[in-house]
Amino acid sequence: MSETSPVLPLNRGGHVGHCKRFLAGLPAGAVEADASRVAIGFYCLGSLDLLGTLETKTRPEERAAWIRWMWEQQSVCGYGTGFKGSNYMTIDIRSPPSAQYAEYDTPNLIMTYTSILSLAILRDDLSRLDRKGLVQFVRSCQREDGSFSALPSGGETDLRCVYCAFAISSMLNDWTGIDLNRALAYIRRCEDYEGGYGQQPSDEALGGTTYCALASLYLAPSNASAQRLIDSAFRARTIRWLLHNQAVDGGFSGRTNKISDACYCFWCGASLAILGAGDLVDNAALVAFLARCQFSMGGLAKAPEKPADPYHTYMALAAAAVLPSPHVNETWTLSRLDVLWNTTEGTAAWLRKHLTEKA
Amino acid sequence: MSYIEEDEESGPPLYCERPEWADVTPIPQYEGVSSPIAPIFYTPDYKDATDYFRGIVKTGETSERVLELTEDIIRMNPAHYSAWQYRYRTLLALNAPLDAELRLMDDFAVNNLKTYQVWHHRRLLITHLTVSTPGAKPTADPLDTAQAELEFIVHVLDVDTKNYHTWSYRQWLLAHFDDSALWLGELPYVDELLQADVRNNSAWHHRYFVVFGRGSKAQATPAEEAEVLQREIRYVKGKISFAPNNISAWNYLRGILEYSKTPFSSQAVFAESYTVRRAPWDDEDVVDLDNPKPSTDADLPSVSAMDFLAEAYAREGGDSITKAVDLWKALANQHDTMRKKYWEFRIKESLETKSG
Ligand SMILES: [Zn+2]
């Protein structure tokens, strides 16, 4: 299929414009993002980073203001220190709220992971990060069964939160916030008969959480336990299942017999890259699909003919970055991706210098 | 117990205009730096309601009107998790009838299938309703409650048969209440879904969960287990015979063989008849019930059957490797060219193992 029709070039200018519009503001209809604006910021900044245009297409004073806003989301609570997804419940940052109020405005583990990445993308030196408080916060998000929840007070527990805990711990090079044996056992319990990992134990195999499981297992310190090693038979099943999620249109679905979606091109493609099987993907067909997901007004959508959004824009670009296909169409050449942290190699190097190696 | 005005067109007055809310001090959101990331241009209604919500959380008030306010907010923003948390706390503080809350949430769930909080809230309600404390019976009968929930989920899955949160919630219910009476209805339900859409992978996954994933079924004797396995193998092969290219069914077959450590080669005869275009057994009179043949209008060869048979040969090793390689070559060059690199990798890998 990729041989028959030429791949549409990457609309760099359009995608930069899309990200800048969302960084500047969201319409009232996007109110569901109220509690997670940090994530929107990460998708937009991450896209600009992948496109290599952050420094040239945004002004230094804009970046300085974004950095100030990001730091305002770092907050200390009874559970340690983390980042909130936005100031949607914040009433005053100069005087801390009562413990009673703070219970309804705690930091969020997923938002903490995306905040650290966003600050590194903006090349902040991260010296204001409360490392000790952060480790305490990670610890307070772990549950009895080894899983993690996004909020220390409870709520959703799943592999996404496990991944964020592992990513943060590896960035800090401090694993004292995680009971590794229990966490690794939990990941194992999410294995599904098809070869993927479900969001929680006994859930259906899903591309996104398969990435979370694999990245966590590969981020875990090498001396952790034998549990971090993936059994070779299950690894073969995982590779087979992931590759079969690539559909005739070139895109990947997140589950067997579902339709293709640009975000799963990243989740499945990155999972394969982690397993050292990225070169088995038909990347020419993949980039052709991603190219068709480009929205006429800029940005990328989950599928052709759908409206673009920051999440799918970032995931589609990250997919193209993790499984490059320069021989197909060179306009799609992007910054290289650090697949385990899900950020550009440049940003990962910045994190290592300013965070990991300062441990 | 809905506090929402029936006529939403005219719009209820803002909280700041209502005398019964005059005693609450609204607190605006802290605005912070001059150019924040992705600020949302709120509607006046949302800004007004959340200003009052922050005011309520600050005083710690838990009263009837807090239920009205939080319902208002989650209708505007179902992902407002602070409002969900505070609503739950208020329900408990008021000792409010949780079954009424569940009914209120029924429609809400159908309209917000993909919002995690909807399902989490339900779990909290159901758990609280059915928990027994020392010396006190639970508010609701656990079995009746769980049964009603399973029926409710059938209705929700009618809207979206593959909704991830809904399936996850159904599996949680079964495992949480873990009563044989509940499990009993699951296989007929799955069968109904697969009759409607044999490619529904969520239904196949649920079947696996019900048959092999039930933690407490350890009482089964080995003979019973073997019988269940044979029943499942027959079932999935029957489904494959009607839709030979349905990878969900093949994955189920592979999954149960792996689970029971049954060699793939035990199903080689079955798979083989799906790997050739013309069926030489067309004229045969004998019907092999254990190995149903493809229906006459089947689109053959089936890529999944070739994949399965090659796997069976490869695991047999020895001379069978050659037969696996032939199948992989056919897949790579003709029948599944999208995965050409994968099939070639399998060829390379198996030849290395053979010679090494
Ligand atoms: Zn998507």
Side-chain angles (χ1 to χ4, degrees):
Chain A
M1 53 169 311
S2 51
E3 289 83 1
T4 53
S5 58
V7 173
L8 299 166
L10 178 69
N11 177 10
R12 274 173 199 271
H15 304 330
V16 169
H18 174 83
C19 295
K20 288 186 69 178
R21 277 196 299 279
F22 275 85
L23 282 166
L26 307 180
V31 72
E32 283 201 44
D34 199 15
S36 52
R37 283 163 48 204
V38 157
I40 307 276
F42 165 70
Y43 300 136
C44 295
L45 295 171
S47 297
L48 295 173
D49 195 20
L50 282 165
L51 291 162
T53 50
L54 187 69
E55 302 257 306
T56 52
K57 299 290 180 186
T58 65
R59 285 173 288 119
E61 56 273 26
E62 280 179 303
R63 299 198 292 276
W66 293 332
I67 288 174
R68 273 203 305 280
W69 187 79
M70 288 304 315
W71 281 116
E72 282 189 359
Q73 308 317 314
Q74 179 176 248
S75 76
V76 185
C77 69
Y79 303 100
T81 305
F83 288 74
K84 302 194 277 199
S86 77
N87 44 309
Y88 88 133
M89 281 296 291
T90 310
I91 45 182
D92 186 359
I93 58 163
R94 284 168 301 273
S95 57
S98 66
Q100 194 273 126
Y101 188 94
E103 196 67 10
Y104 298 92
D105 190 25
T106 57
N108 175 309
L109 189 62
I110 298 175
M111 298 301 149
T112 302
Y113 157 76
T114 40
S115 294
I116 297 172
L117 283 184
S118 298
L119 284 163
I121 290 168
L122 290 164
R123 298 298 183 259
D124 180 84
D125 70 5
L126 296 162
S127 58
R128 278 174 276 179
L129 198 67
D130 175 8
R131 304 178 65 113
K132 271 180 76 176
L134 194 48
V135 172
Q136 189 202 337
F137 178 69
V138 169
R139 190 180 300 123
S140 61
C141 290
Q142 191 166 22
R143 302 279 85 90
E144 198 55 38
D145 64 357
S147 70
F148 281 81
S149 57
L151 304 176
S153 49
E156 51 192 318
T157 75
D158 58 41
L159 275 181
R160 295 174 314 150
C161 303
V162 171
Y163 167 71
C164 292
F166 275 61
I168 293 166
S169 301
S170 66
M171 288 170 187
L172 294 173
N173 194 22
D174 183 340
W175 291 86
T176 56
I178 299 183
D179 180 335
L180 271 169
N181 283 335
R182 280 194 295 141
L184 293 168
Y186 178 83
I187 295 172
R188 280 294 139 77
R189 293 205 293 123
C190 294
E191 286 178 355
D192 171 85
Y193 70 89
E194 289 193 277
Y197 296 75
Q199 190 156 316
Q200 297 174 341
S202 73
D203 277 354
E204 184 181 357
L206 180 65
T209 44
T210 297
Y211 168 84
C212 292
L214 295 173
S216 301
L217 293 172
Y218 277 75
L219 283 169
S222 52
N223 61 354
S225 88
Q227 283 199 77
R228 58 176 266 287
L229 301 171
I230 302 172
D231 155 52
S232 68
F234 194 77
R235 178 177 176 275
R237 260 156 103 176
T238 308
I239 292 174
R240 175 188 170 274
W241 173 75
L242 287 165
L243 286 168
H244 278 84
N245 284 342
Q246 190 171 22
V248 283
D249 60 10
F252 279 82
S253 63
R255 292 183 262 162
T256 301
N257 273 336
K258 295 265 287 179
I259 55 167
S260 301
D261 179 327
C263 70
Y264 290 115
C265 295
F266 174 77
W267 298 124
C268 294
S271 296
L272 284 160
I274 291 171
L275 292 172
D279 56 351
L280 300 181
V281 174
D282 184 342
N283 47 4
L286 174 73
V287 77
F289 174 80
L290 295 172
R292 289 197 305 279
C293 290
Q294 296 185 101
F295 188 57
S296 55
M297 314 280 288
L300 290 102
K302 68 175 180 176
E305 321 300 335
K306 301 271 190 226
D309 61 77
Y311 168 70
H312 286 97
T313 299
Y314 177 77
M315 290 302 162
L317 294 175
V322 80
L323 298 172
S325 48
H327 56 290
V328 181
N329 185 315
E330 62 187 23
T331 65
W332 280 82
T333 306
L334 296 154
S335 306
R336 291 166 59 93
L337 197 84
D338 180 296
V339 70
L340 296 179
W341 280 347
N342 187 9
T343 193
T344 62
E345 286 187 352
T347 297
W350 180 272
L351 274 169
R352 270 190 291 277
K353 179 163 174 251
H354 293 273
L355 213 51
T356 320
E357 283 154 18
K358 291 223 168 133
Chain B
M1 205 175 83
S2 175
Y3 298 92
I4 280 288
E5 309 259 327
E6 288 304 321
D7 181 13
E8 281 185 271
E9 292 305 308
S10 62
L14 296 176
Y15 287 91
C16 64
E17 297 163 352
R18 295 164 62 177
E20 70 272 28
W21 284 83
D23 60 315
V24 179
T25 311
I27 306 178
Q29 172 179 314
Y30 166 76
E31 284 306 339
V33 295
S34 54
S35 54
I37 287 179
I40 297 174
F41 301 106
Y42 301 125
T43 60
D45 292 27
Y46 185 76
K47 191 188 173 304
D48 170 63
T50 53
D51 285 353
Y52 277 79
F53 179 62
R54 282 179 289 267
I56 287 286
V57 176
K58 187 158 190 212
T59 59
E61 176 182 326
T62 49
S63 65
E64 281 287 333
R65 67 179 177 181
V66 175
L67 296 179
E68 177 189 5
L69 178 65
T70 51
E71 182 182 340
D72 226 1
I73 292 173
I74 59 182
R75 281 188 190 277
M76 289 186 273
N77 174 13
H80 196 300
Y81 56 77
S82 301
W84 282 103
Q85 283 178 308
Y86 203 81
R87 178 177 185 81
Y88 184 65
R89 173 193 151 148
T90 306
L91 286 165
L92 296 192
L94 287 172
N95 213 1
L98 297 188
D99 45 347
E101 174 74 1
L102 266 181
R103 298 293 77 79
L104 173 66
M105 288 299 146
D106 285 354
D107 283 342
F108 202 81
V110 176
N111 296 325
N112 296 280
L113 279 184
K114 296 199 166 152
T115 307
Y116 171 82
Q117 279 80 9
V118 175
W119 298 103
H120 184 65
H121 189 64
R122 263 194 116 79
R123 282 193 202 198
L124 293 177
L125 295 173
I126 291 287
T127 308
H128 198 270
L129 264 170
T130 56
V131 76
S132 20
T133 44
K137 286 214 294 200
T139 320
D141 177 66
L143 200 53
D144 289 349
T145 307
Q147 201 85 58
E149 280 301 279
L150 290 177
E151 278 161 32
F152 167 70
I153 298 167
V154 169
H155 167 61
V156 178
L157 287 172
D158 278 347
V159 181
D160 176 2
T161 55
K162 299 177 180 179
N163 185 267
Y164 204 83
H165 292 311
T166 317
W167 277 112
S168 188
Y169 178 61
R170 188 173 189 94
Q171 282 142 15
W172 172 80
L173 273 172
L174 289 163
H176 181 77
F177 291 98
D178 197 18
D179 190 296
S180 295
L182 297 175
W183 290 93
L184 217 56
E186 292 307 284
L187 283 191
Y189 177 51
V190 167
D191 191 42
E192 208 176 284
L193 287 174
L194 290 176
Q195 300 237 4
D197 174 13
V198 78
R199 288 175 176 77
N200 182 346
N201 199 61
S202 300
W204 282 106
H205 173 264
H206 191 63
R207 187 170 187 97
Y208 188 93
F209 171 73
V210 171
V211 179
F212 301 100
R214 187 181 169 193
S216 67
K217 63 147 185 75
Q219 310 95 316
T221 65
E224 285 166 345
E225 273 184 23
E227 201 177 300
V228 166
L229 178 67
Q230 289 314 313
R231 180 195 74 201
E232 289 307 301
I233 291 176
R234 266 198 310 278
Y235 181 85
V236 66
K237 290 200 293 194
K239 292 292 182 202
I240 288 171
S241 74
F242 291 110
N245 291 293
N246 174 20
I247 189 170
S248 289
W250 285 99
N251 283 357
Y252 184 77
L253 176 62
R254 297 170 78 113
I256 64 180
L257 295 177
E258 297 273 15
Y259 175 84
S260 57
K261 301 195 167 49
T262 311
F264 279 24
S265 56
S266 68
Q267 303 305 324
V269 171
F270 165 76
E272 201 177 359
S273 57
Y274 293 82
T275 59
V276 280
R277 201 175 296 271
R278 276 183 61 87
W281 48 84
D282 275 352
D283 305 325
E284 282 178 25
D285 300 327
V286 189
V287 177
D288 180 355
L289 285 176
D290 279 339
N291 295 301
K293 303 297 187 214
S295 57
T296 42
D297 58 345
D299 181 16
L300 295 178
S302 150
V303 165
S304 294
M306 294 171 75
D307 178 19
F308 181 92
L309 191 59
E311 192 78 57
Y313 287 144
R315 290 184 188 189
E316 260 178 38
D319 292 340
S320 295
I321 300 271
T322 324
K323 293 197 269 183
V325 168
D326 287 345
L327 283 163
W328 284 328
K329 276 185 185 158
L331 284 165
N333 299 322
Q334 194 184 349
H335 301 293
D336 189 31
T337 51
M338 173 155 286
R339 271 161 286 279
K340 187 180 177 60
K341 286 187 270 188
Y342 174 60
W343 304 123
E344 286 173 348
F345 158 76
R346 296 299 308 268
I347 293 171
K348 192 164 150 272
E349 187 190 47
S350 69
L351 294 179
E352 274 166 10
T353 323
K354 197 184 175 190
S355 61

